[in-house]
Amino acid sequence: MKRIILLALILIYGQQALPQAQRELTIDDLTKWNRITEKVISDDGSIIAFKTEPWDGDPTVTLYDNGGSLRASFSCATGVKITSDSRFLIFTIKPAEDTVRVLKLRKTKKDDMPLDMLGIYNVSKVKTDTVTRLKSFKLPEKWSGWIAYQTEPVKEKAPAKGQNAEKGEAEKVKVEAEKEKKEGEKEIPAGKKENGRKPKSESADNGYALIIMNLNTGVTDTVKFVTEYLFIEEAEMLICATTGDEKSLEPGVILIDLKKGSRVALYTGKAKFKQLTADKKGERVAFIATEEEKDKTGNTYSLYYWEGKGTAVKAAAKGTAGIPEGWIINENGRLAFGEKSRRLFFGTSPAYMVKDTTVLDEDRPNVDVWHYNEGKLHTAQVIAKARDARKNYTAVFHADLKRVVQLATPEMPDIQLIDKGDAPRVLALSNLPYEVQSMWEGNQRYNVWLADVLTGAVQQLKENLNARVRVSPAGKYLYWYQSSDSSWYNYDLAGSREYRLTDVGTLPCYDELNDVPDAADSYPPAGWLKDDKAFLVSDRYDIWSLDPKAGRAPVNVTANGRADRITYRLIDFDPENEYIDPSVKQYLLGINAVNKGSAYYSLDLKKKDVPLQLMGGSFSLGTPVKALKEDILIYTKEDFGMFPDYLLADLTFTGEKRLTNANPQQKDFLWGTAEQVRWISLDGREVEGLLYKPEGFDPSKKYPMIVNFYEKSSTELYRHRIPEAGRSTIDYHYYTSNGYLVFNPDIHYTDGYPGQSAFNCVMPGIMSLVEKGFVDVKRIGAQGHSWGGYQVAYLATRTDLFAAIESGAPVVNMYSAYGGIRWESGANRSMQYEHQQSRIGATIWEAPQRYWENSPLFSMDKVTTPILIMANDADGAVPWYQGIEYFIAMRRLGKPVWLLNYNGEPHWPIKEPNKKDFQIRMSQFFHHYLKDEPMPKWMKEGIPATEKEFTLGY
């Protein structure tokens, strides 16, 4: 008997010790998956913070030390920052989503909804302080010890008739009153007038109290009614604009020395202030202001300049010599100081037009007039109206000469500073003469000038240049890539001479994989060496050093990239550093074009050695983030089954420590594997693709398969693909977890035949897998969105292989799409067909047959596959009438088709409930046709418009 009891206990406890069986992912599981959306490492590398958040739910900020230990965790936190002395973690605390949801269900008024809070965590004291009703906060970036913030005022509630105000509100008013009393103000009972006037209240126009806190002591200072504020970049100072408190604090602009505890009034008087700007040391300050506080047009601003003594002087205003007649100081113009020169760059513009208020709006015609020869298409003008209304033109104030020079003009509108504004000239550009042809070309052409900073006189350098001109960091050269001859050029500013730095015969810098009917772009340049001594560019694999004056042949600094088929790219650890210092070791990320693995390398630019591999393997590496002052960094490593959690190491990449563990629940689910596959296309090319298999894949079994593709994805063999209820595509993990194969083939395009190109690559790829015996040939589906949606719609007209297809935001009629509008930008779509993704390479008049044969609509009678379409009525990329044309054609032909329109959503659903709904319906669609699951109600019967609010039909 004892033996029986003992055996039973062993069985019971043994079962409890067994690992829990893994299960299939559900759509609900996808919404709970976490992403790491923020990362911050302290300057000394001692602490590292991350924000982790699910697709649906509250974020969490976690803090680690450089030993890999978790130090703290904060719920509902976002916008994390670390002070430069590593002593404090600062973040915003959002109201919990569940709390907000409950209050919304109760129809809570907006003013009564919970507001953000400020979190201040003291690392050494392990203590968190909070500030309620947070409006904004700022930290100095390059020094520490202070924070400034503003809070939303408490809004008083009028008591109901015959009743006192609610107790809670009375308490709030009392707290606020006591707070003001402590700050030295006379306590005023809520709602009571002082001296016959209602006390000044905080608002967007009046400003809000600015609290300046010493983080080390907790002592605060307050400036009331502040409309704008900023910390000086490299000095312990702060400047702010205030409208004054009508008592002891005068309105104006104040410079506060936080070290000395002193204040200097840079401007005193009632005004509306904008564009507070200071140089790095706080030795110069500029802003614009208008004393016409009721000016709604913005025509009365003046530019003010302060240079260390006295008060700010008026540097420029409407009518100042040098500013064109009828022009104003534009309130939207960014202010910028020359770094070493006494120059201040600002914006001007023609005065704003004033609306005739003697005419009623209903008496005014409401019409858009489209003109065939206006530069920007009218639909694009409408989209850009608000931005264009803020258009301004760069001018410069020379403080040493007390002179204003207008640099930009309506005919020459765009200015780039050279040598941070200290050079004798600036770069000026205009694409205006070429705007009409950009409608179908899709790219920009420019006229290029140099403008004299002292006189405004211009020298034209280029006309009709189809390239983007940039300025070298030290300001010695202009440089550009000319796609028409696939070459890099530069212009020596001192020598006034142009140099061609590369040609196709010596260095192929053009994108070798370009497959659109347009000239190929370059690979991204690596950057300039210090003092502009050399320019580093990239080909498909290697990094090359170019002599800016073409005095030597290009030098391959990575040496072995092409030979070993490794694509090298420099890692920039300091985004503020504008150049590459050859005296320090450089670091690179290399990706192997054959096996798709990646590695980190080091490189000594002074030697001719190949890059030294530090760490690498069969995974994908992210771009590392380094501590500013120490050789400590964080980075990610991922593959299909490994989430890109963050790792900690030094610059040798040895002894790595794992920090985050964003999704520990992954172990509970069936997952799958990814592998590379190859086959030969129908037109004889070797094609690569990716095949994703279910967990526990058995090659002797038959599996349903979904084909999903866009253009080329085989380089993503080691991409993790974070599970999500996605907006436009299948979730690979969900489908492999539920027993599907997922096939992702590359497409190689031939100009003029995009549909046939997809067919040539996809169909033999599918058959190469069918021949292996594990694909159920009767249960193959396809899914694509946008360009992918077009391609799967085309395939449905050419084959009956597919049992079901989901086609999202597809173009099915290239004729109507050619003349369509991308409503998000207002741009015409013709450029896509003549030069870009749609790859026809000609107009509808030059090649009408190509438009016809590539349009699925005209072969819809051949479709035998059930189709699920998603086309949303606010789509700004593909006009949703393309989806309607698709649906109507299938409906007219009596073929099974469903259309999902997520009301008010753009090219894909953005709202989480809509994304989840799309994934549920798409999975039900595929489960029915590929796994014989019952047809849901929405597929069998539809959802009548009268029942939309009451049932989902799942």
Side-chain angles (χ1 to χ4, degrees), residues 105-146:
L105 287 171
R106 293 176 182 171
K107 309 298 183 186
T108 304
K109 293 180 180 178
K110 184 178 178 181
D111 287 347
D112 295 331
M113 294 295 284
L115 300 175
D116 295 349
M117 295 194 297
L118 176 66
I120 304 173
Y121 177 72
N122 188 314
V123 177
S124 60
K125 294 183 179 179
V126 195
K127 179 187 175 186
T128 305
D129 291 319
T130 58
V131 175
T132 60
R133 307 182 68 82
L134 177 67
K135 183 172 182 62
S136 70
F137 79 90
K138 292 182 182 179
L139 278 178
E141 293 185 7
K142 297 186 177 180
W143 46 277
S144 59
W146 297 86

Short mmCIF file of all heavy atoms in Angstrom, two decimals, residues 105-146:
data_model
loop_
_atom_site.label_atom_id
_atom_site.label_comp_id
_atom_site.label_asym_id
_atom_site.label_seq_id
_atom_site.Cartn_x
_atom_site.Cartn_y
_atom_site.Cartn_z
N LEU A 105 -15.77 55.25 -21.07
CA LEU A 105 -17.06 54.56 -21.04
C LEU A 105 -18.06 55.30 -20.16
O LEU A 105 -19.27 55.25 -20.40
CB LEU A 105 -16.88 53.12 -20.56
CG LEU A 105 -16.22 52.16 -21.56
CD1 LEU A 105 -15.90 50.83 -20.88
CD2 LEU A 105 -17.15 51.92 -22.76
N ARG A 106 -17.55 55.98 -19.13
CA ARG A 106 -18.41 56.75 -18.24
C ARG A 106 -18.71 58.14 -18.79
O ARG A 106 -19.33 58.95 -18.12
CB ARG A 106 -17.75 56.89 -16.86
CG ARG A 106 -17.62 55.58 -16.10
CD ARG A 106 -16.87 55.82 -14.80
NE ARG A 106 -16.69 54.57 -14.05
CZ ARG A 106 -15.92 54.46 -12.96
NH1 ARG A 106 -15.27 55.54 -12.51
NH2 ARG A 106 -15.81 53.31 -12.35
N LYS A 107 -18.24 58.42 -20.03
CA LYS A 107 -18.46 59.72 -20.67
C LYS A 107 -17.85 60.86 -19.87
O LYS A 107 -18.39 61.97 -19.79
CB LYS A 107 -19.96 59.99 -20.88
CG LYS A 107 -20.72 58.86 -21.55
CD LYS A 107 -20.22 58.57 -22.95
CE LYS A 107 -21.04 57.48 -23.64
NZ LYS A 107 -20.48 57.08 -24.94
N THR A 108 -16.70 60.60 -19.28
CA THR A 108 -16.01 61.62 -18.50
C THR A 108 -15.58 62.76 -19.40
O THR A 108 -15.08 62.53 -20.51
CB THR A 108 -14.77 61.02 -17.81
OG1 THR A 108 -15.20 59.91 -17.02
CG2 THR A 108 -14.09 62.04 -16.92
N LYS A 109 -15.76 63.99 -18.95
CA LYS A 109 -15.38 65.15 -19.74
C LYS A 109 -13.86 65.21 -19.89
O LYS A 109 -13.11 64.75 -19.04
CB LYS A 109 -15.89 66.43 -19.08
CG LYS A 109 -17.41 66.56 -19.08
CD LYS A 109 -17.84 67.86 -18.41
CE LYS A 109 -19.35 67.99 -18.41
NZ LYS A 109 -19.78 69.22 -17.72
N LYS A 110 -13.44 65.83 -20.99
CA LYS A 110 -12.01 65.92 -21.29
C LYS A 110 -11.25 66.60 -20.15
O LYS A 110 -10.14 66.17 -19.79
CB LYS A 110 -11.82 66.70 -22.60
CG LYS A 110 -10.37 66.76 -23.05
CD LYS A 110 -10.25 67.50 -24.38
CE LYS A 110 -8.79 67.59 -24.79
NZ LYS A 110 -8.64 68.33 -26.08
N ASP A 111 -11.81 67.66 -19.59
CA ASP A 111 -11.14 68.40 -18.52
C ASP A 111 -10.97 67.56 -17.25
O ASP A 111 -10.15 67.90 -16.39
CB ASP A 111 -11.90 69.68 -18.17
CG ASP A 111 -11.75 70.73 -19.27
OD1 ASP A 111 -10.88 70.56 -20.14
OD2 ASP A 111 -12.52 71.72 -19.24
N ASP A 112 -11.76 66.49 -17.13
CA ASP A 112 -11.69 65.66 -15.92
C ASP A 112 -10.87 64.39 -16.13
O ASP A 112 -10.75 63.56 -15.22
CB ASP A 112 -13.11 65.28 -15.47
CG ASP A 112 -13.91 66.49 -15.03
OD1 ASP A 112 -13.29 67.45 -14.55
OD2 ASP A 112 -15.15 66.47 -15.18
N MET A 113 -10.31 64.22 -17.31
CA MET A 113 -9.50 63.04 -17.57
C MET A 113 -8.14 63.20 -16.90
O MET A 113 -7.62 64.31 -16.73
CB MET A 113 -9.31 62.85 -19.08
CG MET A 113 -10.60 62.54 -19.82
SD MET A 113 -11.33 60.95 -19.38
CE MET A 113 -10.24 59.84 -20.25
N PRO A 114 -7.52 62.08 -16.47
CA PRO A 114 -6.22 62.17 -15.82
C PRO A 114 -5.15 62.67 -16.79
O PRO A 114 -5.21 62.42 -17.99
CB PRO A 114 -5.95 60.73 -15.39
CG PRO A 114 -6.79 59.89 -16.27
CD PRO A 114 -8.01 60.69 -16.58
N LEU A 115 -4.17 63.39 -16.26
CA LEU A 115 -3.10 63.98 -17.06
C LEU A 115 -1.78 63.26 -16.80
O LEU A 115 -1.66 62.45 -15.88
CB LEU A 115 -2.96 65.47 -16.73
CG LEU A 115 -4.20 66.34 -16.98
CD1 LEU A 115 -3.95 67.76 -16.50
CD2 LEU A 115 -4.56 66.34 -18.45
N ASP A 116 -0.80 63.59 -17.62
CA ASP A 116 0.53 63.01 -17.46
C ASP A 116 1.17 63.48 -16.16
O ASP A 116 0.82 64.54 -15.61
CB ASP A 116 1.43 63.42 -18.63
CG ASP A 116 0.97 62.85 -19.95
OD1 ASP A 116 0.08 61.98 -19.93
OD2 ASP A 116 1.50 63.28 -20.99
N MET A 117 2.15 62.70 -15.70
CA MET A 117 2.96 63.09 -14.57
C MET A 117 4.44 63.04 -14.97
O MET A 117 4.81 62.36 -15.93
CB MET A 117 2.73 62.17 -13.37
CG MET A 117 1.34 62.23 -12.78
SD MET A 117 1.24 61.44 -11.14
CE MET A 117 1.65 59.74 -11.55
N LEU A 118 5.26 63.75 -14.24
CA LEU A 118 6.70 63.72 -14.43
C LEU A 118 7.30 62.80 -13.39
O LEU A 118 6.98 62.90 -12.20
CB LEU A 118 7.28 65.12 -14.29
CG LEU A 118 8.81 65.26 -14.37
CD1 LEU A 118 9.30 64.90 -15.77
CD2 LEU A 118 9.24 66.67 -14.00
N GLY A 119 8.14 61.87 -13.82
CA GLY A 119 8.84 60.99 -12.90
C GLY A 119 10.31 61.36 -12.82
O GLY A 119 10.98 61.53 -13.84
N ILE A 120 10.82 61.52 -11.60
CA ILE A 120 12.23 61.84 -11.36
C ILE A 120 12.80 60.78 -10.43
O ILE A 120 12.47 60.75 -9.24
CB ILE A 120 12.40 63.25 -10.73
CG1 ILE A 120 11.73 64.31 -11.62
CG2 ILE A 120 13.87 63.57 -10.51
CD1 ILE A 120 11.70 65.70 -10.99
N TYR A 121 13.62 59.90 -10.97
CA TYR A 121 14.16 58.80 -10.18
C TYR A 121 15.61 59.08 -9.82
O TYR A 121 16.45 59.28 -10.69
CB TYR A 121 14.06 57.49 -10.97
CG TYR A 121 14.67 56.30 -10.26
CD1 TYR A 121 14.05 55.73 -9.15
CD2 TYR A 121 15.87 55.75 -10.70
CE1 TYR A 121 14.61 54.64 -8.50
CE2 TYR A 121 16.44 54.66 -10.06
CZ TYR A 121 15.81 54.11 -8.96
OH TYR A 121 16.37 53.03 -8.32
N ASN A 122 15.90 59.11 -8.52
CA ASN A 122 17.26 59.29 -8.01
C ASN A 122 17.93 57.92 -7.93
O ASN A 122 17.52 57.07 -7.15
CB ASN A 122 17.21 59.95 -6.63
CG ASN A 122 18.59 60.35 -6.13
OD1 ASN A 122 19.54 59.57 -6.20
ND2 ASN A 122 18.70 61.56 -5.60
N VAL A 123 18.92 57.71 -8.78
CA VAL A 123 19.52 56.39 -8.92
C VAL A 123 20.20 55.94 -7.63
O VAL A 123 20.03 54.79 -7.19
CB VAL A 123 20.52 56.37 -10.10
CG1 VAL A 123 21.21 55.01 -10.21
CG2 VAL A 123 19.82 56.71 -11.40
N SER A 124 20.97 56.80 -7.00
CA SER A 124 21.71 56.39 -5.80
C SER A 124 20.80 56.23 -4.59
O SER A 124 21.01 55.35 -3.76
CB SER A 124 22.82 57.41 -5.48
OG SER A 124 22.26 58.69 -5.25
N LYS A 125 19.76 57.07 -4.49
CA LYS A 125 18.85 57.00 -3.34
C LYS A 125 17.69 56.03 -3.57
O LYS A 125 16.90 55.80 -2.65
CB LYS A 125 18.31 58.38 -3.02
CG LYS A 125 19.38 59.36 -2.53
CD LYS A 125 18.76 60.70 -2.17
CE LYS A 125 19.82 61.67 -1.65
NZ LYS A 125 19.23 63.00 -1.32
N VAL A 126 17.59 55.50 -4.78
CA VAL A 126 16.51 54.57 -5.14
C VAL A 126 15.16 55.17 -4.74
O VAL A 126 14.35 54.56 -4.06
CB VAL A 126 16.71 53.18 -4.49
CG1 VAL A 126 15.83 52.14 -5.12
CG2 VAL A 126 18.16 52.75 -4.56
N LYS A 127 14.94 56.37 -5.20
CA LYS A 127 13.73 57.10 -4.81
C LYS A 127 13.14 57.81 -6.03
O LYS A 127 13.87 58.39 -6.83
CB LYS A 127 14.09 58.14 -3.74
CG LYS A 127 12.92 58.99 -3.28
CD LYS A 127 13.38 60.09 -2.34
CE LYS A 127 12.23 61.01 -1.96
NZ LYS A 127 12.69 62.16 -1.16
N THR A 128 11.81 57.75 -6.14
CA THR A 128 11.12 58.41 -7.25
C THR A 128 10.24 59.52 -6.73
O THR A 128 9.40 59.31 -5.85
CB THR A 128 10.24 57.40 -8.03
OG1 THR A 128 11.05 56.31 -8.46
CG2 THR A 128 9.61 58.07 -9.24
N ASP A 129 10.42 60.72 -7.28
CA ASP A 129 9.52 61.84 -7.01
C ASP A 129 8.67 62.07 -8.25
O ASP A 129 9.12 61.83 -9.38
CB ASP A 129 10.32 63.11 -6.69
CG ASP A 129 11.03 63.01 -5.35
OD1 ASP A 129 10.42 62.51 -4.40
OD2 ASP A 129 12.20 63.43 -5.27
N THR A 130 7.45 62.53 -8.05
CA THR A 130 6.56 62.78 -9.18
C THR A 130 5.99 64.19 -9.13
O THR A 130 5.87 64.78 -8.05
CB THR A 130 5.39 61.77 -9.22
OG1 THR A 130 4.66 61.86 -7.99
CG2 THR A 130 5.90 60.36 -9.43
N VAL A 131 5.67 64.70 -10.30
CA VAL A 131 5.00 65.99 -10.43
C VAL A 131 3.73 65.73 -11.22
O VAL A 131 3.77 65.16 -12.31
CB VAL A 131 5.89 67.00 -11.18
CG1 VAL A 131 5.13 68.31 -11.41
CG2 VAL A 131 7.18 67.25 -10.41
N THR A 132 2.60 66.13 -10.69
CA THR A 132 1.32 65.87 -11.35
C THR A 132 1.02 66.92 -12.40
O THR A 132 1.62 67.99 -12.44
CB THR A 132 0.18 65.83 -10.32
OG1 THR A 132 0.12 67.10 -9.64
CG2 THR A 132 0.41 64.73 -9.29
N ARG A 133 0.07 66.59 -13.26
CA ARG A 133 -0.48 67.51 -14.26
C ARG A 133 0.62 68.08 -15.17
O ARG A 133 0.62 69.26 -15.50
CB ARG A 133 -1.27 68.63 -13.61
CG ARG A 133 -2.35 68.15 -12.64
CD ARG A 133 -3.15 69.29 -12.04
NE ARG A 133 -3.96 69.96 -13.05
CZ ARG A 133 -5.14 69.55 -13.48
NH1 ARG A 133 -5.67 68.43 -12.98
NH2 ARG A 133 -5.80 70.22 -14.41
N LEU A 134 1.52 67.22 -15.58
CA LEU A 134 2.66 67.67 -16.38
C LEU A 134 2.22 68.19 -17.75
O LEU A 134 1.45 67.55 -18.46
CB LEU A 134 3.64 66.50 -16.58
CG LEU A 134 4.86 66.79 -17.46
CD1 LEU A 134 5.78 67.79 -16.78
CD2 LEU A 134 5.60 65.50 -17.78
N LYS A 135 2.78 69.33 -18.12
CA LYS A 135 2.55 69.90 -19.45
C LYS A 135 3.77 69.70 -20.33
O LYS A 135 3.67 69.26 -21.48
CB LYS A 135 2.20 71.38 -19.33
CG LYS A 135 1.87 72.01 -20.67
CD LYS A 135 1.36 73.43 -20.49
CE LYS A 135 0.98 74.02 -21.84
NZ LYS A 135 -0.10 73.26 -22.49
N SER A 136 4.95 70.03 -19.83
CA SER A 136 6.19 69.86 -20.59
C SER A 136 7.37 69.85 -19.62
O SER A 136 7.26 70.34 -18.50
CB SER A 136 6.37 70.98 -21.61
OG SER A 136 6.67 72.21 -20.96
N PHE A 137 8.48 69.30 -20.07
CA PHE A 137 9.72 69.42 -19.29
C PHE A 137 10.90 69.42 -20.23
O PHE A 137 10.83 68.93 -21.37
CB PHE A 137 9.85 68.29 -18.25
CG PHE A 137 10.31 66.97 -18.82
CD1 PHE A 137 11.67 66.65 -18.89
CD2 PHE A 137 9.40 66.02 -19.26
CE1 PHE A 137 12.09 65.44 -19.39
CE2 PHE A 137 9.82 64.80 -19.77
CZ PHE A 137 11.18 64.51 -19.84
N LYS A 138 12.01 69.98 -19.76
CA LYS A 138 13.25 70.00 -20.54
C LYS A 138 14.42 69.75 -19.60
O LYS A 138 14.41 70.16 -18.43
CB LYS A 138 13.43 71.33 -21.26
CG LYS A 138 12.43 71.56 -22.37
CD LYS A 138 12.68 72.88 -23.11
CE LYS A 138 11.62 73.10 -24.19
NZ LYS A 138 11.80 74.37 -24.91
N LEU A 139 15.42 69.07 -20.17
CA LEU A 139 16.68 68.82 -19.46
C LEU A 139 17.82 69.42 -20.27
O LEU A 139 17.78 69.39 -21.50
CB LEU A 139 16.95 67.31 -19.34
CG LEU A 139 16.29 66.51 -18.23
CD1 LEU A 139 16.71 65.05 -18.39
CD2 LEU A 139 16.71 67.01 -16.87
N PRO A 140 18.85 69.94 -19.61
CA PRO A 140 20.05 70.31 -20.37
C PRO A 140 20.70 69.04 -20.90
O PRO A 140 20.70 68.00 -20.23
CB PRO A 140 20.93 70.99 -19.32
CG PRO A 140 20.44 70.51 -18.00
CD PRO A 140 18.98 70.23 -18.17
N GLU A 141 21.23 69.09 -22.11
CA GLU A 141 21.77 67.89 -22.74
C GLU A 141 23.23 67.64 -22.39
O GLU A 141 23.67 66.50 -22.32
CB GLU A 141 21.61 67.97 -24.26
CG GLU A 141 20.15 67.92 -24.70
CD GLU A 141 20.01 67.88 -26.20
OE1 GLU A 141 21.04 67.76 -26.90
OE2 GLU A 141 18.87 67.98 -26.68
N LYS A 142 24.02 68.69 -22.19
CA LYS A 142 25.47 68.52 -22.03
C LYS A 142 25.99 68.89 -20.65
O LYS A 142 27.19 68.92 -20.42
CB LYS A 142 26.20 69.33 -23.11
CG LYS A 142 25.89 68.84 -24.52
CD LYS A 142 26.73 69.55 -25.56
CE LYS A 142 26.44 68.99 -26.94
NZ LYS A 142 27.24 69.66 -27.99
N TRP A 143 25.10 69.19 -19.73
CA TRP A 143 25.48 69.41 -18.34
C TRP A 143 24.31 68.96 -17.48
O TRP A 143 23.28 68.55 -18.00
CB TRP A 143 25.86 70.87 -18.07
CG TRP A 143 24.92 71.88 -18.64
CD1 TRP A 143 24.89 72.36 -19.91
CD2 TRP A 143 23.85 72.55 -17.95
NE1 TRP A 143 23.87 73.27 -20.07
CE2 TRP A 143 23.23 73.42 -18.88
CE3 TRP A 143 23.36 72.52 -16.64
CZ2 TRP A 143 22.15 74.23 -18.54
CZ3 TRP A 143 22.29 73.33 -16.29
CH2 TRP A 143 21.71 74.17 -17.23
N SER A 144 24.48 68.97 -16.20
CA SER A 144 23.48 68.30 -15.35
C SER A 144 23.14 69.12 -14.12
O SER A 144 23.71 70.18 -13.87
CB SER A 144 24.01 66.92 -14.94
OG SER A 144 25.23 67.06 -14.25
N GLY A 145 22.20 68.57 -13.34
CA GLY A 145 21.85 69.16 -12.05
C GLY A 145 20.55 69.91 -12.04
O GLY A 145 20.07 70.29 -10.97
N TRP A 146 19.92 70.12 -13.22
CA TRP A 146 18.72 70.94 -13.27
C TRP A 146 17.67 70.31 -14.19
O TRP A 146 17.99 69.58 -15.11
CB TRP A 146 19.03 72.35 -13.76
CG TRP A 146 19.95 73.10 -12.85
CD1 TRP A 146 21.32 73.05 -12.85
CD2 TRP A 146 19.58 73.98 -11.79
NE1 TRP A 146 21.82 73.86 -11.87
CE2 TRP A 146 20.78 74.46 -11.19
CE3 TRP A 146 18.37 74.45 -11.29
CZ2 TRP A 146 20.78 75.36 -10.14
CZ3 TRP A 146 18.36 75.35 -10.25
CH2 TRP A 146 19.55 75.79 -9.67
#
